[in-house]
Amino acid sequence: MKKIAKAQARGKHCGRTSKLSKEQMGEIRRRSGEGEEKKALAIEFGISRQTLYRIIKV
């Protein structure tokens, strides 16, 4: 845990890199807001519905 805290203090990113770009996340939010089916969006972008809802929530 201490090593992770030190790395973060140096500005390092710890963890998995995002599968989607910021542009893709914005597109998901926009299209979801327009009423597109969430299941279809999740399949199209290759993510789970849980991940899709987490993106929309932010």
Side-chain angles (χ1 to χ4, degrees), residues 14-51:
C14 297
R16 185 170 186 242
T17 57
S18 180
K19 186 173 184 176
L20 302 174
S21 68
K22 290 184 180 188
E23 292 81 17
Q24 288 173 314
M25 288 186 221
E27 183 177 348
I28 288 172
R29 288 184 191 105
R30 179 186 58 79
R31 289 171 59 182
S32 173
E34 292 174 353
E36 248 186 90
E37 186 179 342
K38 303 212 179 9
K39 181 180 177 182
L41 286 171
I43 291 169
E44 179 181 336
F45 285 93
I47 58 175
S48 68
R49 284 186 297 147
Q50 179 181 4
T51 299

